Amino acid sequence: MTPGRISFGSAVDATGAIVDPHATFRNGELATWRADLKAAVGSTGLVWVIVQPLGDGREFEHWRQPLVITDPTLKVVINQLNLWLYCHNGAGTYTMRYTRSDGLVLAEGTFQLVS
């Protein structure tokens, strides 16, 4: 199954749409994202992951956090924070994912962190 999309920007409007869409952030800048999940979370739980692709095809995992979900029909996640807190290797390309706890990738998006 192809994962849903994570869109990045500066904020969301009252309808939940991304305002000022962009996927490049400066160290410490507040990033906002909307993850449109490919399928409902169901009862298996949701995990938020940030990885950095390496030149040899592997990925370095910077962050993994299980999320408490009270609505198993959830299909959209909106969040924001200073991404530098989770990207310890500095400038580069990072991939954010939302996966079910059974490993199914529900949404994925790439962002750039610049110094």
Side-chain angles (χ1 to χ4, degrees):
M1 170 172 30
T2 303
R5 180 170 180 223
I6 299 176
S7 304
F8 298 92
S10 300
V12 292
D13 65 18
T15 68
I18 291 289
V19 175
D20 183 27
H22 63 280
T24 299
F25 300 94
R26 295 202 174 284
N27 194 8
E29 181 180 359
L30 185 65
T32 301
W33 63 91
R34 175 189 169 113
D36 291 293
L37 307 180
K38 184 68 172 184
V41 174
S43 62
T44 62
L46 189 63
V47 179
W48 175 46
V49 180
I50 297 177
V51 299
Q52 186 174 27
L54 302 175
D56 61 5
R58 294 178 299 140
E59 295 179 329
F60 181 84
E61 187 173 289
H62 287 273
W63 187 257
R64 174 176 292 272
Q65 180 178 355
L67 302 172
V68 175
I69 303 301
T70 58
D71 179 1
T73 65
L74 177 75
K75 288 193 76 178
V76 174
V77 176
I78 296 173
N79 203 350
Q80 66 178 188
L81 82 132
N82 292 325
L83 289 173
W84 67 268
L85 295 172
Y86 301 101
C87 302
H88 306 294
N89 277 0
T93 300
Y94 294 84
T95 301
M96 182 182 292
R97 291 188 186 108
Y98 284 93
T99 66
R100 287 197 320 210
S101 56
D102 65 3
L104 180 66
V105 178
L106 296 176
E108 183 173 89
T110 301
F111 64 92
Q112 299 290 320
L113 187 62
V114 297
S115 33

